[in-house]
Amino acid sequence: MTVPLDRHYSVELQVSAERVPRLRRIVAAHLRHWSLDPHVRPVCRALDELLTNVHRHVGDANTCVLELRWTGRHVTVSVADNSARMPRLLPAGGGLSRVMALSDSWGTCRTTDGKVVWFTRYAEAPRAAGLLPYAPVPGVRTARTVPLAVLA
C-alpha cells in the first residue's frame, strides 16, 4: 500500500499547560482526517503524557518539536526537546508506563541537542467497502419503469 507523503505533521513549540489540550485536539483532527478514528483516544492520551513530561521536567522556556507520522501501517508520535536529562520508567506507573501501555513500541534516544521520546501504534488503513452490485434477492420482483408515453 502506498500512502501519500502528506501523512506527516510537525510543529515546534514551547509547551505550557494551556497548549497541551490544543495540541491534543490538533493531533486528533489529523488522525480523523487520515481515517484513524479508533486510534484517536490512545494516541492522544500517550501524547498527553509526553507533553506533560516536557512541561514538568524541561520547563516552559524550552522549545520542543512534536511530530506525527502515519506510514499506512503505523502511527509514530515523537517529541524532541533540548534537555539532556533522559526520562525514566518509574515502577509506580504513570508517565512512560502509560505510554508503554497505550502503544505497541516506544523508546527514547539522545540527540546532539537533547533527546527524542517516541511511541508507535499499529494502525493499518481502513478498507473501504466495495461498490459491487448486490445479487437480487430470490422471490422479490424487480420494479420496471413504465415509459412516460404509456402514462400520457
Side-chain angles (χ1 to χ4, degrees):
M1 167 184 206
T2 304
V3 176
L5 296 177
D6 64 341
R7 303 298 196 236
H8 177 256
Y9 172 73
S10 179
V11 62
E12 183 175 342
L13 67 138
Q14 290 180 323
V15 177
S16 65
E18 299 82 31
R19 288 189 178 142
V20 171
R22 188 176 313 144
L23 287 166
R24 196 172 44 234
R25 286 191 300 272
I26 290 169
V27 168
H30 277 83
L31 293 172
R32 286 186 183 102
H33 178 69
W34 299 338
S35 300
L36 298 174
D37 296 49
H39 301 281
V40 169
R41 181 175 234 166
V43 167
C44 288
R45 287 178 70 190
L47 171 65
D48 192 41
E49 291 294 331
L50 296 185
L51 293 175
T52 301
N53 283 348
V54 170
H55 175 64
R56 278 189 196 140
H57 303 292
V58 178
D60 291 342
N62 294 330
T63 60
C64 73
V65 176
L66 163 67
E67 284 192 74
L68 174 68
R69 185 178 305 272
W70 180 48
T71 64
R73 297 187 66 106
H74 294 91
V75 171
T76 302
V77 178
S78 64
V79 176
D81 62 53
N82 56 7
S83 171
R85 185 175 169 204
M86 297 300 284
R88 294 177 299 149
L89 185 62
L90 301 175
L96 289 177
S97 295
R98 182 169 290 148
V99 172
M100 184 173 64
L102 293 168
S103 64
D104 293 319
S105 64
W106 71 278
T108 183
C109 63
R110 290 191 192 279
T111 63
T112 56
D113 300 332
K115 67 178 171 301
V116 176
V117 182
W118 56 268
F119 68 89
T120 62
R121 280 185 59 88
Y122 179 75
E124 194 168 25
R127 296 186 181 186
L131 300 176
L132 299 174
Y134 291 105
V137 178
V140 177
R141 292 186 177 191
T142 56
R144 294 182 183 249
T145 56
V146 179
L148 292 177
V150 175
L151 296 175

